[in-house]
């Protein structure tokens, strides 16, 4: 590009020097008239140009003014016309409406029920939005997660206003009589909203079992509250590690010194760099500890060469940090498992929650006082939320051929008084599939394969296995929303915001591209790690 600009500047300079005479230099008006004539000629040549494709077909001129740098494709050597704002909006809306109609038809053909997640978000320009996401198994027995609405909410954000907005969206999409469940976090407005929405749906007799299985609490949010409770008792070790990272990242000079320390101590994997944690996200604290521990010797070396570095953790502090990191690791793994949107998660709920309970009980008598106190506080918070679990998630575990919940099997066997065996009886009597030989088993694929043997049970499995046990899908849309609405672009109309975000999700799912991450803030792009050597590494951070 630099060479092109230089050549263009040289050509223009040569033209001016060749056409200007001695009298021209003393007459600015003559110079201006000739320069205008040159530009006019160049414009006319641009209008007459045509573009030829690979098959020899010729097109009409793409523009009627001189070529600008913004219009030139330096790689292909071709030029393109500018698209007006109104044309772009019209094209996007046409594409959005076409895709919306296709999605409507797909959901109408779905024999099973549709599960929902919803969450609220405040944009950069302090406007409130609510995101509603549908989860359903399509005709090909594949789990789909599609954003139905990303619409602006006018203050006040009360439960009744939220419920009316969601019900309006369900009516618009024609699925108000196909809803099975709604997964929400623990905000008080959400509790009121689901109560009101459940009443509205029950009035038209569209919920199963009078809505007993309608409300599902977000497990990722509950896990966050449980771990945050444990982090409240962390001692000076965590503080010193956090302050050490903050000190190094405070200036470029300190980062250069730290890199030298890393080179001097040697044998440190620098693929993942230092990172600060976000107070509201416990998993970021886990990542901070995990990354900092790798640079333990480098921090010690820095304390010897930099007299201003006062908060270097001691050996005991690092050992405490390692204990905390290992204690939090299972919670991070389970949160990642719960946060999936491309595979069923409801069937994993009971087994993983049982693992958490066992882990907490095991550490109630830990020899380290810090871990013991963390486990005690976390177990108390765990017991508080365990009593509010949804019974439907137990049935999801029964419908997983790897588990089948033995207690439930015994209960069914003892209580069975029907004349013949039902589909459920036959299914439960069959031997469980050993997880050792099917670690990545496709549960929906199993029911697709056996749909002719269990026609009724397979349809129920589709409904129950579609239940998302976290609202991460809706929260992921806010990361995309931060790409569309940011400090550089915050004047888009709410309807246009919805069209952009929904269409992007329908085409690409919830994946965030590298280009998108660059436009996000620190919170939204917390899964971008900057290496010590300055390059970037992508990781999957759970919410």
């Amino acid at each position: 590009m630099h060479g092109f600009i230089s050549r263009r500047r040289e050509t223009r300079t040569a033209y001016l020097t060749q056409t200007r005479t001695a009298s021209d230099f003393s007459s600015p008006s003559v110079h201006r008239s000739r320069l205008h004539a040159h530009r006019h000629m160049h414009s006319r040549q641009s209008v007459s140009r045509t573009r030829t494709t690979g098959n020899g077909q010729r097109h009409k001129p793409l523009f009627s003014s001189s070529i600008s740098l913004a219009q030139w494709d330096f790689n292909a050597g071709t030029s393109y016309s500018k698209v007006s704002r109104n044309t772009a909006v019209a094209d996007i809306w046409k594409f959005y409406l076409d895709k919306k109609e296709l999605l409507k038809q797909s959901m109408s053909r779905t024999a099973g029920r549709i599960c929902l997640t919803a969450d609220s978000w405040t944009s950069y320009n302090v406007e409130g939005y609510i995101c509603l996401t549908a989860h359903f198994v399509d005709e090909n027995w594949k789990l789909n997660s599609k954003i139905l609405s990303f619409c602006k909410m006018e203050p006040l954000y009360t439960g009744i206003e939220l419920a009316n907005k969601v019900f309006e969206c369900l009516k618009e999409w024609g699925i108000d009589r196909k809803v099975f469940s709604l997964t929400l976090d623990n905000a008080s407005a959400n509790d009121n909203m689901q109560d009101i929405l459940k009443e509205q749906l029950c009035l038209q007799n569209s919920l199963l079992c009078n809505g007993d299985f309608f409300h599902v609490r977000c497990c990722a949010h509950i896990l966050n509250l449980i771990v945050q409770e444990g982090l409240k008792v962390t001692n000076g070790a965590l503080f010193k590690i956090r302050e050490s990272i903050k000190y190094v990242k405070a200036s470029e000079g300190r980062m250069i010194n730290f890199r030298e320390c890393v080179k001097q101590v040697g044998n440190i994997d620098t693929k993942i760099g230092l990172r600060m944690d976000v107070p509201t996200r416990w998993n970021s604290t886990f990542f901070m500890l995990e990354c900092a521990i790798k640079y333990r010797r480098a921090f010690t070396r820095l304390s010897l060469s930099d007299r201003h570095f006062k908060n270097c953790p001691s050996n005991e502090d690092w050992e405490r940090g390692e204990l905390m990191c290992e204690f939090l690791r299972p919670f991070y793994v389970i949160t990642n498992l719960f946060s999936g949107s491309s595979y069923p998660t409801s069937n994993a709920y009971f087994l993983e929650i049982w693992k958490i309970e066992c882990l907490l009980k095991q550490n109630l008598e830990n020899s380290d006082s810090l871990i013991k106190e963390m486990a005690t506080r976390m177990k108390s918070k765990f017991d508080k939320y365990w009593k509010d679990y949804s019974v439907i998630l137990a049935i999801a575990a029964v419908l997983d051929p790897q588990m089948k919940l033995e207690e439930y099997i015994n209960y069914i066997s003892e209580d069975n008084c029907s004349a013949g065996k039902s589909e459920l009886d036959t299914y439960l009597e069959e031997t469980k599939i050993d997880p050792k030989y099917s670690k990545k088993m496709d549960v929906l694929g199993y029911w697709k394969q056996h749909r002719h043997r269990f026609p009724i049970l397979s349809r129920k499995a589709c409904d129950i296995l579609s239940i998302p046990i976290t609202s991460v899908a809706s929260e992921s849309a806010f990361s995309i929303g931060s790409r569309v609405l940011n400090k550089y672009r915050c004047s888009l109309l709410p309807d246009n915001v919805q069209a952009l975000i929904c269409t992007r999700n329908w085409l690409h799912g919830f994946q965030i591209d590298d280009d998108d991450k660059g436009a996000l803030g620190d919170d939204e792009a917390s899964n971008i790690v900057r290496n010590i050597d300055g390059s970037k590494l992508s990781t999957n951070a759970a919410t």
Side-chain angles (χ1 to χ4, degrees):
M1 179 173 178
H2 176 71
F4 175 81
I5 296 173
S6 300
R7 289 192 300 272
R8 189 174 180 182
R9 187 183 296 117
E10 291 170 1
T11 303
R12 184 170 55 190
T13 304
Y15 168 80
L16 293 175
T17 55
Q18 290 172 6
T19 56
R20 291 176 66 181
T21 64
S23 60
D24 294 336
F25 284 94
S26 61
S27 177
S29 60
V30 174
H31 165 59
R32 285 195 297 269
S33 64
R34 290 192 173 181
L35 181 59
H36 176 74
H38 167 68
R39 288 174 176 171
H40 180 67
M41 177 187 68
H42 184 66
S43 176
R44 291 175 60 84
Q45 292 173 349
S46 301
V47 174
S48 63
R49 284 193 182 98
T50 58
R51 185 165 61 98
T52 305
T53 60
N55 58 10
Q57 183 179 0
R58 297 174 67 83
H59 294 272
K60 294 181 179 179
L62 296 174
F63 45 84
S64 58
S65 60
S66 61
I67 300 174
S68 67
L69 294 178
Q71 292 172 300
W72 188 265
D73 185 341
F74 294 97
N75 294 325
T78 57
S79 49
Y80 301 92
S81 62
K82 291 182 179 179
V83 178
S84 69
R85 177 175 57 84
N86 292 335
T87 301
V89 171
D91 288 346
I92 290 172
W93 265 93
K94 183 180 183 304
F95 193 75
Y96 163 71
L97 294 175
D98 290 344
K99 290 295 180 182
K100 182 177 181 179
E101 185 60 32
L102 290 176
L103 182 56
K104 273 187 178 182
Q105 294 174 10
S106 176
M107 289 194 294
S108 66
R109 292 192 300 267
T110 301
R113 294 255 169 179
I114 295 174
C115 303
L116 306 171
T117 57
D119 207 351
S120 302
W121 175 66
T122 301
S123 67
Y124 180 84
N125 53 354
V126 202
E127 291 180 340
Y129 285 82
I130 182 171
C131 177
L132 183 67
T133 308
H135 308 262
F136 61 95
V137 177
D138 62 19
E139 299 171 290
N140 299 316
W141 293 76
K142 297 296 182 183
L143 183 61
N144 289 259
S145 296
K146 305 293 184 182
I147 297 177
L148 301 184
S149 175
F150 195 96
C151 55
K152 183 181 177 182
M153 286 292 302
E154 300 294 342
L156 300 167
Y157 310 124
T158 61
I160 188 169
E161 294 298 329
L162 292 171
N164 289 337
K165 181 66 73 172
V166 173
F167 189 68
E168 176 185 330
C169 177
L170 297 178
K171 284 283 190 180
E172 178 187 354
W173 282 86
I175 59 173
D176 54 302
R177 295 185 179 275
K178 299 184 70 172
V179 174
F180 186 29
S181 68
L182 175 62
T183 304
L184 302 165
D185 64 25
N186 291 343
S188 57
N190 285 341
D191 289 340
N192 295 332
M193 182 260 278
Q194 71 87 19
D195 285 335
I196 297 169
L197 183 60
K198 183 165 69 173
E199 289 182 8
Q200 291 175 325
L201 295 174
C202 284
L203 285 175
Q204 57 187 35
N205 197 29
S206 58
L207 289 180
L208 295 176
C209 302
N210 203 32
D212 289 343
F213 306 138
F214 178 64
H215 185 203
V216 178
R217 294 187 180 274
C218 174
C219 296
H221 188 255
I222 292 174
L223 277 178
N224 182 62
L225 295 175
I226 291 173
V227 178
Q228 289 285 6
E229 186 68 23
L231 290 176
K232 290 178 180 179
V233 301
T234 54
N235 64 353
L238 182 60
F239 172 79
K240 287 184 178 180
I241 293 174
R242 182 183 289 117
E243 289 299 311
S244 296
I245 297 173
K246 188 184 300 183
Y247 177 84
V248 170
K249 294 173 73 71
S251 71
E252 184 180 3
R254 291 176 183 175
M255 283 296 294
I256 293 173
N257 291 338
F258 189 73
R259 288 177 192 143
E260 288 299 320
C261 292
V262 172
K263 291 179 182 178
Q264 291 173 11
V265 299
N267 295 324
I268 295 180
D269 183 6
T270 60
K271 289 182 180 179
I272 299 181
L274 299 177
R275 61 184 301 169
M276 287 297 299
D277 62 340
V278 180
T280 56
R281 297 187 176 186
W282 73 266
N283 60 304
S284 67
T285 302
F286 167 76
F287 275 128
M288 181 188 71
L289 288 172
E290 187 178 49
C291 297
I293 289 170
K294 297 179 184 294
Y295 295 95
R296 173 178 176 174
R297 293 182 295 118
F299 277 112
T300 303
R301 181 68 184 85
L302 182 65
S303 67
L304 298 176
S305 60
D306 187 347
R307 60 186 179 86
H308 298 292
F309 182 30
K310 304 294 185 181
N311 287 310
C312 182
S314 63
N315 289 333
E316 183 181 355
D317 292 331
W318 285 117
E319 290 172 2
R320 281 285 178 87
E322 290 177 351
L323 286 174
M324 291 170 55
C325 191
E326 290 307 310
F327 178 64
L328 295 176
R329 190 180 303 280
F331 294 91
Y332 167 72
V333 173
I334 292 172
T335 301
N336 269 355
L337 176 64
F338 283 173
S339 301
S341 59
S342 60
Y343 55 86
T345 55
S346 57
N347 56 308
Y349 174 81
F350 262 87
L351 178 61
E352 301 305 322
I353 291 297
W354 173 73
K355 289 180 182 179
I356 289 176
E357 184 178 26
C358 292
L359 178 66
L360 293 176
K361 287 182 177 179
Q362 177 184 345
N363 285 279
L364 288 176
E365 302 299 328
N366 195 292
S367 57
D368 186 273
S369 59
L370 174 64
I371 302 299
K372 179 179 179 179
E373 188 174 359
M374 287 179 65
T376 301
R377 295 179 69 103
M378 291 167 67
K379 181 64 167 60
S380 176
K381 184 72 74 171
F382 175 88
D383 293 337
K384 172 184 176 182
Y385 287 106
W386 171 247
K387 63 183 180 181
D388 293 329
Y389 81 94
S390 179
V391 178
I392 197 67
L393 299 179
I395 301 177
V398 173
L399 293 173
D400 187 333
Q402 299 176 104
M403 289 185 280
K404 297 190 179 181
L405 276 185
E406 193 147 348
E407 296 82 357
Y408 192 80
I409 296 175
N410 296 332
Y411 173 79
I412 291 294
S413 300
E414 295 171 2
D415 241 41
N416 185 18
C417 57
S418 59
K421 287 185 178 181
S422 66
E423 290 183 18
L424 182 60
D425 295 325
T426 304
Y427 164 72
L428 292 173
E429 287 178 358
E430 294 180 354
T431 305
K432 292 188 295 184
I433 297 176
D434 193 338
K436 293 181 181 179
Y437 303 105
S438 56
K439 292 183 179 180
K440 294 184 179 180
M441 179 183 177
D442 181 4
V443 180
L444 287 174
Y446 170 88
W447 286 107
K448 177 183 180 180
Q449 183 181 353
H450 295 83
R451 65 187 183 280
H452 300 301
R453 293 180 59 214
F454 308 118
I456 299 175
L457 200 58
S458 62
R459 288 186 58 184
K460 297 301 179 185
C462 284
D463 294 343
I464 296 173
L465 293 174
S466 298
I467 299 174
I469 57 176
T470 71
S471 59
V472 169
S474 293
E475 292 176 12
S476 297
F478 303 148
S479 293
I480 302 173
S482 299
R483 171 70 173 91
V484 175
L485 286 175
N486 54 42
K487 60 183 178 181
Y488 303 110
R489 180 176 54 213
C490 56
S491 300
L492 286 173
L493 295 175
D495 287 344
N496 293 339
V497 172
Q498 176 171 264
L500 288 169
I501 292 178
C502 289
T503 306
R504 188 193 187 285
N505 169 257
W506 301 340
L507 292 174
H508 305 294
F510 293 97
Q511 285 294 108
I512 300 179
D513 300 330
D514 289 339
D515 292 340
D516 292 341
K517 291 167 183 172
L520 302 180
D522 291 338
D523 290 350
E524 291 81 4
S526 62
N527 57 342
I528 295 295
V529 182
R530 186 165 294 279
N531 297 351
I532 289 296
D533 60 6
S535 60
K536 286 191 295 185
L537 180 70
S538 209
T539 61
N540 293 323
T543 302

Short mmCIF file of all heavy atoms in Angstrom, two decimals, residues 116-147:
data_model
loop_
_atom_site.label_atom_id
_atom_site.label_comp_id
_atom_site.label_asym_id
_atom_site.label_seq_id
_atom_site.Cartn_x
_atom_site.Cartn_y
_atom_site.Cartn_z
N LEU A 116 -36.16 -22.53 26.87
CA LEU A 116 -35.73 -21.13 26.73
C LEU A 116 -34.69 -20.77 27.78
O LEU A 116 -34.67 -21.34 28.88
CB LEU A 116 -36.93 -20.18 26.88
CG LEU A 116 -38.13 -20.42 25.97
CD1 LEU A 116 -39.29 -19.54 26.41
CD2 LEU A 116 -37.77 -20.13 24.50
N THR A 117 -33.83 -19.83 27.43
CA THR A 117 -32.99 -19.12 28.40
C THR A 117 -33.17 -17.63 28.16
O THR A 117 -33.40 -17.20 27.03
CB THR A 117 -31.50 -19.49 28.27
OG1 THR A 117 -31.07 -19.20 26.94
CG2 THR A 117 -31.26 -20.95 28.56
N ALA A 118 -33.05 -16.86 29.21
CA ALA A 118 -33.21 -15.41 29.09
C ALA A 118 -32.28 -14.72 30.07
O ALA A 118 -31.99 -15.25 31.16
CB ALA A 118 -34.65 -15.00 29.33
N ASP A 119 -31.82 -13.56 29.69
CA ASP A 119 -30.98 -12.75 30.58
C ASP A 119 -31.03 -11.30 30.11
O ASP A 119 -31.37 -11.02 28.96
CB ASP A 119 -29.54 -13.26 30.59
CG ASP A 119 -28.84 -12.92 31.90
OD1 ASP A 119 -29.40 -12.16 32.71
OD2 ASP A 119 -27.72 -13.42 32.12
N SER A 120 -30.67 -10.40 31.01
CA SER A 120 -30.70 -8.97 30.72
C SER A 120 -29.28 -8.42 30.67
O SER A 120 -28.36 -8.97 31.28
CB SER A 120 -31.51 -8.22 31.78
OG SER A 120 -32.83 -8.72 31.86
N TRP A 121 -29.12 -7.33 29.95
CA TRP A 121 -27.79 -6.74 29.72
C TRP A 121 -27.93 -5.24 29.56
O TRP A 121 -28.91 -4.74 29.02
CB TRP A 121 -27.18 -7.36 28.46
CG TRP A 121 -25.88 -6.79 28.01
CD1 TRP A 121 -24.68 -6.85 28.65
CD2 TRP A 121 -25.62 -6.06 26.79
NE1 TRP A 121 -23.70 -6.23 27.91
CE2 TRP A 121 -24.24 -5.75 26.76
CE3 TRP A 121 -26.43 -5.68 25.71
CZ2 TRP A 121 -23.67 -5.04 25.71
CZ3 TRP A 121 -25.84 -4.99 24.66
CH2 TRP A 121 -24.48 -4.68 24.68
N THR A 122 -26.93 -4.51 30.06
CA THR A 122 -26.87 -3.06 29.88
C THR A 122 -25.73 -2.74 28.92
O THR A 122 -24.58 -3.12 29.17
CB THR A 122 -26.65 -2.34 31.22
OG1 THR A 122 -27.71 -2.67 32.11
CG2 THR A 122 -26.63 -0.83 31.02
N SER A 123 -26.03 -2.06 27.83
CA SER A 123 -25.04 -1.77 26.80
C SER A 123 -24.13 -0.63 27.23
O SER A 123 -24.30 -0.02 28.29
CB SER A 123 -25.73 -1.41 25.49
OG SER A 123 -26.43 -0.18 25.62
N TYR A 124 -23.14 -0.31 26.38
CA TYR A 124 -22.19 0.76 26.67
C TYR A 124 -22.89 2.10 26.84
O TYR A 124 -22.48 2.92 27.66
CB TYR A 124 -21.15 0.84 25.54
CG TYR A 124 -20.13 1.92 25.74
CD1 TYR A 124 -19.01 1.70 26.54
CD2 TYR A 124 -20.28 3.18 25.15
CE1 TYR A 124 -18.07 2.70 26.74
CE2 TYR A 124 -19.34 4.18 25.35
CZ TYR A 124 -18.24 3.93 26.14
OH TYR A 124 -17.30 4.92 26.35
N ASN A 125 -23.97 2.32 26.08
CA ASN A 125 -24.69 3.59 26.19
C ASN A 125 -25.83 3.52 27.20
O ASN A 125 -26.78 4.27 27.13
CB ASN A 125 -25.22 4.03 24.82
CG ASN A 125 -26.03 2.94 24.15
OD1 ASN A 125 -26.11 1.83 24.66
ND2 ASN A 125 -26.65 3.25 23.02
N VAL A 126 -25.72 2.59 28.15
CA VAL A 126 -26.61 2.46 29.31
C VAL A 126 -28.05 2.18 28.87
O VAL A 126 -29.00 2.69 29.48
CB VAL A 126 -26.54 3.70 30.23
CG1 VAL A 126 -27.02 3.36 31.63
CG2 VAL A 126 -25.13 4.26 30.29
N GLU A 127 -28.24 1.43 27.83
CA GLU A 127 -29.56 0.98 27.42
C GLU A 127 -29.72 -0.48 27.81
O GLU A 127 -28.79 -1.28 27.68
CB GLU A 127 -29.74 1.14 25.91
CG GLU A 127 -29.83 2.58 25.45
CD GLU A 127 -30.02 2.69 23.94
OE1 GLU A 127 -29.71 1.72 23.23
OE2 GLU A 127 -30.47 3.77 23.49
N GLY A 128 -30.92 -0.82 28.30
CA GLY A 128 -31.17 -2.18 28.73
C GLY A 128 -31.69 -3.05 27.60
O GLY A 128 -32.53 -2.63 26.81
N TYR A 129 -31.17 -4.29 27.52
CA TYR A 129 -31.60 -5.25 26.52
C TYR A 129 -31.92 -6.58 27.21
O TYR A 129 -31.33 -6.91 28.24
CB TYR A 129 -30.52 -5.49 25.46
CG TYR A 129 -30.36 -4.37 24.46
CD1 TYR A 129 -29.62 -3.24 24.75
CD2 TYR A 129 -30.98 -4.45 23.21
CE1 TYR A 129 -29.48 -2.21 23.83
CE2 TYR A 129 -30.84 -3.42 22.28
CZ TYR A 129 -30.09 -2.31 22.60
OH TYR A 129 -29.97 -1.30 21.68
N ILE A 130 -32.85 -7.31 26.63
CA ILE A 130 -33.14 -8.66 27.09
C ILE A 130 -32.92 -9.62 25.93
O ILE A 130 -33.33 -9.33 24.79
CB ILE A 130 -34.58 -8.79 27.64
CG1 ILE A 130 -34.82 -10.22 28.15
CG2 ILE A 130 -35.61 -8.40 26.62
CD1 ILE A 130 -36.13 -10.39 28.90
N CYS A 131 -32.24 -10.71 26.21
CA CYS A 131 -31.95 -11.72 25.18
C CYS A 131 -32.73 -12.98 25.50
O CYS A 131 -32.66 -13.50 26.62
CB CYS A 131 -30.45 -12.03 25.14
SG CYS A 131 -30.00 -13.31 23.95
N LEU A 132 -33.47 -13.48 24.53
CA LEU A 132 -34.24 -14.71 24.68
C LEU A 132 -33.70 -15.73 23.67
O LEU A 132 -33.66 -15.46 22.46
CB LEU A 132 -35.72 -14.46 24.43
CG LEU A 132 -36.65 -15.66 24.62
CD1 LEU A 132 -36.70 -16.06 26.10
CD2 LEU A 132 -38.06 -15.34 24.13
N THR A 133 -33.29 -16.89 24.16
CA THR A 133 -32.70 -17.93 23.32
C THR A 133 -33.52 -19.19 23.40
O THR A 133 -33.95 -19.60 24.49
CB THR A 133 -31.25 -18.22 23.76
OG1 THR A 133 -30.52 -17.00 23.83
CG2 THR A 133 -30.56 -19.17 22.80
N ALA A 134 -33.75 -19.83 22.26
CA ALA A 134 -34.52 -21.08 22.18
C ALA A 134 -33.57 -22.25 22.00
O ALA A 134 -32.59 -22.18 21.27
CB ALA A 134 -35.51 -21.02 21.02
N HIS A 135 -33.88 -23.36 22.68
CA HIS A 135 -33.11 -24.60 22.60
C HIS A 135 -34.08 -25.73 22.25
O HIS A 135 -35.05 -25.96 22.98
CB HIS A 135 -32.41 -24.89 23.92
CG HIS A 135 -31.61 -23.73 24.45
ND1 HIS A 135 -30.25 -23.61 24.28
CD2 HIS A 135 -32.00 -22.63 25.15
CE1 HIS A 135 -29.82 -22.50 24.84
NE2 HIS A 135 -30.86 -21.87 25.38
N PHE A 136 -33.79 -26.42 21.15
CA PHE A 136 -34.71 -27.48 20.72
C PHE A 136 -33.96 -28.48 19.86
O PHE A 136 -32.90 -28.19 19.29
CB PHE A 136 -35.89 -26.89 19.92
CG PHE A 136 -35.47 -26.17 18.67
CD1 PHE A 136 -35.47 -26.80 17.43
CD2 PHE A 136 -35.07 -24.83 18.70
CE1 PHE A 136 -35.08 -26.14 16.28
CE2 PHE A 136 -34.67 -24.16 17.55
CZ PHE A 136 -34.68 -24.82 16.33
N VAL A 137 -34.53 -29.68 19.78
CA VAL A 137 -33.98 -30.75 18.94
C VAL A 137 -34.74 -30.73 17.62
O VAL A 137 -35.97 -30.83 17.61
CB VAL A 137 -34.11 -32.12 19.62
CG1 VAL A 137 -33.60 -33.23 18.70
CG2 VAL A 137 -33.33 -32.14 20.94
N ASP A 138 -34.00 -30.59 16.52
CA ASP A 138 -34.65 -30.45 15.22
C ASP A 138 -34.99 -31.81 14.61
O ASP A 138 -34.87 -32.86 15.27
CB ASP A 138 -33.78 -29.63 14.27
CG ASP A 138 -32.43 -30.29 14.00
OD1 ASP A 138 -32.28 -31.51 14.23
OD2 ASP A 138 -31.51 -29.59 13.54
N GLU A 139 -35.40 -31.80 13.36
CA GLU A 139 -35.81 -33.03 12.67
C GLU A 139 -34.68 -34.03 12.53
O GLU A 139 -34.91 -35.23 12.43
CB GLU A 139 -36.34 -32.68 11.27
CG GLU A 139 -37.55 -31.78 11.27
CD GLU A 139 -37.89 -31.30 9.87
OE1 GLU A 139 -37.12 -30.49 9.33
OE2 GLU A 139 -38.92 -31.75 9.32
N ASN A 140 -33.44 -33.54 12.54
CA ASN A 140 -32.27 -34.41 12.40
C ASN A 140 -31.69 -34.83 13.75
O ASN A 140 -30.56 -35.32 13.80
CB ASN A 140 -31.20 -33.70 11.57
CG ASN A 140 -31.68 -33.37 10.17
OD1 ASN A 140 -32.31 -34.19 9.52
ND2 ASN A 140 -31.39 -32.15 9.72
N TRP A 141 -32.43 -34.60 14.81
CA TRP A 141 -32.02 -34.98 16.15
C TRP A 141 -30.74 -34.24 16.58
O TRP A 141 -29.91 -34.79 17.29
CB TRP A 141 -31.83 -36.49 16.27
CG TRP A 141 -33.11 -37.25 16.14
CD1 TRP A 141 -33.80 -37.51 14.99
CD2 TRP A 141 -33.88 -37.84 17.20
NE1 TRP A 141 -34.95 -38.21 15.26
CE2 TRP A 141 -35.01 -38.45 16.61
CE3 TRP A 141 -33.71 -37.93 18.59
CZ2 TRP A 141 -35.98 -39.12 17.35
CZ3 TRP A 141 -34.66 -38.62 19.32
CH2 TRP A 141 -35.78 -39.19 18.71
N LYS A 142 -30.62 -33.01 16.15
CA LYS A 142 -29.50 -32.17 16.55
C LYS A 142 -30.01 -31.06 17.46
O LYS A 142 -31.06 -30.47 17.20
CB LYS A 142 -28.80 -31.56 15.33
CG LYS A 142 -28.18 -32.59 14.39
CD LYS A 142 -27.06 -33.36 15.08
CE LYS A 142 -26.41 -34.35 14.13
NZ LYS A 142 -25.36 -35.17 14.82
N LEU A 143 -29.24 -30.79 18.53
CA LEU A 143 -29.62 -29.74 19.46
C LEU A 143 -29.28 -28.38 18.88
O LEU A 143 -28.14 -28.13 18.46
CB LEU A 143 -28.89 -29.93 20.80
CG LEU A 143 -29.24 -28.93 21.91
CD1 LEU A 143 -30.72 -29.01 22.27
CD2 LEU A 143 -28.37 -29.18 23.15
N ASN A 144 -30.27 -27.49 18.83
CA ASN A 144 -30.10 -26.14 18.30
C ASN A 144 -30.25 -25.12 19.43
O ASN A 144 -31.09 -25.28 20.31
CB ASN A 144 -31.15 -25.84 17.23
CG ASN A 144 -30.92 -26.60 15.95
OD1 ASN A 144 -30.41 -26.08 14.98
ND2 ASN A 144 -31.29 -27.89 15.94
N SER A 145 -29.43 -24.07 19.35
CA SER A 145 -29.55 -22.94 20.28
C SER A 145 -29.57 -21.67 19.43
O SER A 145 -28.55 -21.30 18.84
CB SER A 145 -28.38 -22.91 21.26
OG SER A 145 -28.38 -24.05 22.09
N LYS A 146 -30.73 -21.03 19.36
CA LYS A 146 -30.91 -19.87 18.48
C LYS A 146 -31.47 -18.68 19.26
O LYS A 146 -32.42 -18.82 20.02
CB LYS A 146 -31.88 -20.21 17.34
CG LYS A 146 -31.49 -21.44 16.51
CD LYS A 146 -30.22 -21.21 15.72
CE LYS A 146 -29.90 -22.41 14.83
NZ LYS A 146 -28.63 -22.21 14.08
N ILE A 147 -30.86 -17.52 19.03
CA ILE A 147 -31.38 -16.29 19.65
C ILE A 147 -32.65 -15.89 18.93
O ILE A 147 -32.66 -15.69 17.72
CB ILE A 147 -30.34 -15.16 19.56
CG1 ILE A 147 -29.08 -15.53 20.34
CG2 ILE A 147 -30.93 -13.86 20.11
CD1 ILE A 147 -27.97 -14.48 20.24
#
